[in-house]
Amino acid sequence: MSRFARLSKNGTLVYVELEGDTAHELSHAPWEGGTRIGKEHGWTEDDLRAPVRPGKVLCVGRNYAAHAKELGNEVPKTPLLFLKPSSSVIGSGEAIVLPVESTRVEHEAELAVVIGKTAKNIRAEDAFAHVFGYTCGGDITARDLQRSDGQWSRAKGFDTFCPLGPWIETKLDPSAISIRCAVNDQARQDGNTRDMVFQLPELIATMSRAMTLEPGDVLLTGTPEGVGPLVAGDVLTITIEGIGTLKCRVEPSQSSA
Ligand code: ZN
């Protein structure tokens, strides 16, 4: 099998390997050497949490030419890297909460890569040996604040702005798979990883030259064209071929005002 998740069971979070309706509990996160401990659980979608709690989420901007163009940007000559805080991560079934500070929050559907082995200054041809697996990711962005702040930490860093899930697929060729995004079942984004400006091996190698990639870190690899607004009450789905569907509802800001 090749599907790993994190479940909430009796109030505790456990890493599991999924096999149909059965979840085999693991001793640790699988990228930390976790193995089956001989305990099985039944599970439903409601039990799923973010499949990883990353040390960092390292992202690339404008990695699909058609998306760079739709926002009026040039395609960069080298990967344009930025970070999202680990506190922004949520899982499938959890809610994206709109911040009071923004009037324009947008979805960006992205292939998420989970690192399996420490990577520093690696060569492109060695990149996949450092990958644990893949999941669906959302780089939720307050587009108005991204423009007005001049840098992106706040606009892309709010709590709940990094949905990941529903699980991690380890046996997957990520070189030409479809990435689709829908809001309330209406198609918004329909892209393919083959259209990345910087393909995964080169991207991971470049990232590893900037900072050490550690097991459990997550890389977001850019979004295809079709980004658009999210409003309270929306249901966002991100579906990646060979992985599955990440589903989050959108909730209004929780201000006390
Ligand atoms: Zn993005």
Side-chain angles (χ1 to χ4, degrees), residues 32-52:
E32 291 167 353
T35 54
R36 292 187 188 189
I37 61 169
K39 202 168 158 187
E40 295 179 0
H41 304 275
W43 66 280
T44 69
E45 281 188 14
D46 290 342
D47 300 324
L48 293 168
R49 296 295 180 269
V52 52

mmCIF file of all heavy atoms in Angstrom, residues 32-52:
data_model
loop_
_atom_site.group_PDB
_atom_site.id
_atom_site.type_symbol
_atom_site.label_atom_id
_atom_site.label_comp_id
_atom_site.label_asym_id
_atom_site.label_seq_id
_atom_site.Cartn_x
_atom_site.Cartn_y
_atom_site.Cartn_z
ATOM 1 N N GLU A 32 9.609 9.598 9.668
ATOM 2 C CA GLU A 32 10.533 9.502 10.810
ATOM 3 C C GLU A 32 10.764 8.038 11.151
ATOM 4 O O GLU A 32 11.147 7.697 12.265
ATOM 5 C CB GLU A 32 9.954 10.231 12.027
ATOM 6 C CG GLU A 32 9.909 11.740 11.841
ATOM 7 C CD GLU A 32 9.063 12.451 12.903
ATOM 8 O OE1 GLU A 32 8.395 11.760 13.709
ATOM 9 O OE2 GLU A 32 9.058 13.685 12.886
ATOM 10 N N GLY A 33 10.482 7.167 10.204
ATOM 11 C CA GLY A 33 10.734 5.746 10.409
ATOM 12 C C GLY A 33 9.599 5.000 11.071
ATOM 13 O O GLY A 33 9.790 3.872 11.546
ATOM 14 N N GLY A 34 8.412 5.610 11.134
ATOM 15 C CA GLY A 34 7.282 4.946 11.774
ATOM 16 C C GLY A 34 6.905 3.641 11.079
ATOM 17 O O GLY A 34 6.923 3.552 9.862
ATOM 18 N N THR A 35 6.582 2.631 11.881
ATOM 19 C CA THR A 35 6.155 1.340 11.333
ATOM 20 C C THR A 35 4.872 0.895 12.032
ATOM 21 O O THR A 35 4.507 1.438 13.075
ATOM 22 C CB THR A 35 7.237 0.250 11.552
ATOM 23 O OG1 THR A 35 7.560 0.218 12.949
ATOM 24 C CG2 THR A 35 8.491 0.550 10.750
ATOM 25 N N ARG A 36 4.200 -0.085 11.461
ATOM 26 C CA ARG A 36 2.946 -0.573 12.033
ATOM 27 C C ARG A 36 3.171 -1.159 13.421
ATOM 28 O O ARG A 36 4.152 -1.868 13.643
ATOM 29 C CB ARG A 36 2.346 -1.655 11.127
ATOM 30 C CG ARG A 36 1.876 -1.116 9.793
ATOM 31 C CD ARG A 36 1.139 -2.200 9.036
ATOM 32 N NE ARG A 36 0.839 -1.776 7.665
ATOM 33 C CZ ARG A 36 0.048 -2.464 6.836
ATOM 34 N NH1 ARG A 36 -0.489 -3.610 7.228
ATOM 35 N NH2 ARG A 36 -0.179 -2.016 5.619
ATOM 36 N N ILE A 37 2.247 -0.851 14.339
ATOM 37 C CA ILE A 37 2.379 -1.374 15.702
ATOM 38 C C ILE A 37 1.375 -2.489 15.971
ATOM 39 O O ILE A 37 1.218 -2.931 17.114
ATOM 40 C CB ILE A 37 2.201 -0.246 16.746
ATOM 41 C CG1 ILE A 37 0.808 0.404 16.636
ATOM 42 C CG2 ILE A 37 3.293 0.804 16.599
ATOM 43 C CD1 ILE A 37 0.473 1.323 17.800
ATOM 44 N N GLY A 38 0.672 -2.951 14.934
ATOM 45 C CA GLY A 38 -0.244 -4.076 15.100
ATOM 46 C C GLY A 38 -1.619 -3.686 15.617
ATOM 47 O O GLY A 38 -2.369 -4.518 16.122
ATOM 48 N N LYS A 39 -1.939 -2.369 15.524
ATOM 49 C CA LYS A 39 -3.239 -1.877 15.983
ATOM 50 C C LYS A 39 -4.009 -1.347 14.781
ATOM 51 O O LYS A 39 -3.463 -0.539 14.007
ATOM 52 C CB LYS A 39 -2.979 -0.752 16.996
ATOM 53 C CG LYS A 39 -4.101 -0.475 17.955
ATOM 54 C CD LYS A 39 -3.551 0.442 19.077
ATOM 55 C CE LYS A 39 -4.664 1.193 19.780
ATOM 56 N NZ LYS A 39 -4.104 2.184 20.719
ATOM 57 N N GLU A 40 -5.261 -1.794 14.618
ATOM 58 C CA GLU A 40 -6.058 -1.370 13.468
ATOM 59 C C GLU A 40 -7.259 -0.548 13.909
ATOM 60 O O GLU A 40 -7.809 -0.778 14.977
ATOM 61 C CB GLU A 40 -6.533 -2.595 12.687
ATOM 62 C CG GLU A 40 -5.390 -3.363 12.054
ATOM 63 C CD GLU A 40 -5.876 -4.596 11.301
ATOM 64 O OE1 GLU A 40 -7.100 -4.838 11.270
ATOM 65 O OE2 GLU A 40 -5.014 -5.309 10.772
ATOM 66 N N HIS A 41 -7.629 0.404 13.071
ATOM 67 C CA HIS A 41 -8.809 1.233 13.325
ATOM 68 C C HIS A 41 -9.698 1.222 12.096
ATOM 69 O O HIS A 41 -9.201 1.147 10.971
ATOM 70 C CB HIS A 41 -8.411 2.703 13.570
ATOM 71 C CG HIS A 41 -7.433 2.928 14.670
ATOM 72 N ND1 HIS A 41 -7.808 3.048 15.986
ATOM 73 C CD2 HIS A 41 -6.081 3.060 14.653
ATOM 74 C CE1 HIS A 41 -6.738 3.260 16.731
ATOM 75 N NE2 HIS A 41 -5.671 3.265 15.950
ATOM 76 N N GLY A 42 -11.015 1.336 12.305
ATOM 77 C CA GLY A 42 -11.894 1.748 11.218
ATOM 78 C C GLY A 42 -11.750 3.252 11.082
ATOM 79 O O GLY A 42 -11.265 3.914 11.997
ATOM 80 N N TRP A 43 -12.156 3.803 9.947
ATOM 81 C CA TRP A 43 -12.029 5.260 9.823
ATOM 82 C C TRP A 43 -13.056 5.781 8.830
ATOM 83 O O TRP A 43 -13.544 5.038 7.968
ATOM 84 C CB TRP A 43 -10.611 5.654 9.373
ATOM 85 C CG TRP A 43 -10.256 5.195 7.985
ATOM 86 C CD1 TRP A 43 -9.846 3.950 7.617
ATOM 87 C CD2 TRP A 43 -10.316 5.971 6.784
ATOM 88 N NE1 TRP A 43 -9.634 3.891 6.264
ATOM 89 C CE2 TRP A 43 -9.916 5.135 5.720
ATOM 90 C CE3 TRP A 43 -10.661 7.301 6.494
ATOM 91 C CZ2 TRP A 43 -9.867 5.563 4.402
ATOM 92 C CZ3 TRP A 43 -10.600 7.738 5.176
ATOM 93 C CH2 TRP A 43 -10.198 6.862 4.146
ATOM 94 N N THR A 44 -13.385 7.058 8.962
ATOM 95 C CA THR A 44 -14.230 7.748 7.998
ATOM 96 C C THR A 44 -13.546 9.070 7.641
ATOM 97 O O THR A 44 -12.573 9.466 8.296
ATOM 98 C CB THR A 44 -15.621 8.072 8.574
ATOM 99 O OG1 THR A 44 -15.473 9.081 9.591
ATOM 100 C CG2 THR A 44 -16.288 6.837 9.173
ATOM 101 N N GLU A 45 -14.092 9.747 6.643
ATOM 102 C CA GLU A 45 -13.522 11.040 6.243
ATOM 103 C C GLU A 45 -13.475 12.027 7.402
ATOM 104 O O GLU A 45 -12.584 12.875 7.479
ATOM 105 C CB GLU A 45 -14.357 11.656 5.106
ATOM 106 C CG GLU A 45 -14.048 11.055 3.753
ATOM 107 C CD GLU A 45 -14.735 11.808 2.617
ATOM 108 O OE1 GLU A 45 -15.218 12.924 2.855
ATOM 109 O OE2 GLU A 45 -14.776 11.262 1.511
ATOM 110 N N ASP A 46 -14.439 11.922 8.321
ATOM 111 C CA ASP A 46 -14.475 12.855 9.449
ATOM 112 C C ASP A 46 -13.265 12.713 10.361
ATOM 113 O O ASP A 46 -12.950 13.623 11.132
ATOM 114 C CB ASP A 46 -15.755 12.626 10.291
ATOM 115 C CG ASP A 46 -17.006 13.063 9.549
ATOM 116 O OD1 ASP A 46 -16.873 13.821 8.573
ATOM 117 O OD2 ASP A 46 -18.111 12.633 9.943
ATOM 118 N N ASP A 47 -12.618 11.557 10.330
ATOM 119 C CA ASP A 47 -11.457 11.334 11.208
ATOM 120 C C ASP A 47 -10.179 11.954 10.649
ATOM 121 O O ASP A 47 -9.188 12.076 11.360
ATOM 122 C CB ASP A 47 -11.207 9.820 11.380
ATOM 123 C CG ASP A 47 -12.390 9.105 12.004
ATOM 124 O OD1 ASP A 47 -13.042 9.703 12.884
ATOM 125 O OD2 ASP A 47 -12.660 7.952 11.598
ATOM 126 N N LEU A 48 -10.188 12.331 9.373
ATOM 127 C CA LEU A 48 -8.955 12.808 8.729
ATOM 128 C C LEU A 48 -8.538 14.172 9.262
ATOM 129 O O LEU A 48 -9.367 15.068 9.416
ATOM 130 C CB LEU A 48 -9.152 12.906 7.208
ATOM 131 C CG LEU A 48 -9.360 11.600 6.455
ATOM 132 C CD1 LEU A 48 -9.821 11.896 5.023
ATOM 133 C CD2 LEU A 48 -8.077 10.777 6.444
ATOM 134 N N ARG A 49 -7.256 14.322 9.512
ATOM 135 C CA ARG A 49 -6.660 15.620 9.823
ATOM 136 C C ARG A 49 -5.562 15.850 8.785
ATOM 137 O O ARG A 49 -5.307 14.994 7.950
ATOM 138 C CB ARG A 49 -6.080 15.628 11.242
ATOM 139 C CG ARG A 49 -7.131 15.437 12.325
ATOM 140 C CD ARG A 49 -8.126 16.611 12.370
ATOM 141 N NE ARG A 49 -9.137 16.452 13.406
ATOM 142 C CZ ARG A 49 -10.325 15.856 13.217
ATOM 143 N NH1 ARG A 49 -10.632 15.320 12.029
ATOM 144 N NH2 ARG A 49 -11.195 15.765 14.201
ATOM 145 N N ALA A 50 -4.915 17.020 8.837
ATOM 146 C CA ALA A 50 -3.810 17.240 7.899
ATOM 147 C C ALA A 50 -2.851 16.059 8.019
ATOM 148 O O ALA A 50 -2.497 15.665 9.132
ATOM 149 C CB ALA A 50 -3.098 18.545 8.224
ATOM 150 N N PRO A 51 -2.444 15.462 6.899
ATOM 151 C CA PRO A 51 -1.632 14.238 6.968
ATOM 152 C C PRO A 51 -0.208 14.482 7.465
ATOM 153 O O PRO A 51 0.510 13.538 7.756
ATOM 154 C CB PRO A 51 -1.625 13.739 5.515
ATOM 155 C CG PRO A 51 -1.890 14.955 4.688
ATOM 156 C CD PRO A 51 -2.766 15.849 5.525
ATOM 157 N N VAL A 52 0.167 15.746 7.578
ATOM 158 C CA VAL A 52 1.518 16.093 8.037
ATOM 159 C C VAL A 52 1.431 17.433 8.759
ATOM 160 O O VAL A 52 0.611 18.290 8.415
ATOM 161 C CB VAL A 52 2.506 16.155 6.842
ATOM 162 C CG1 VAL A 52 1.987 17.051 5.737
ATOM 163 C CG2 VAL A 52 3.903 16.593 7.263
#
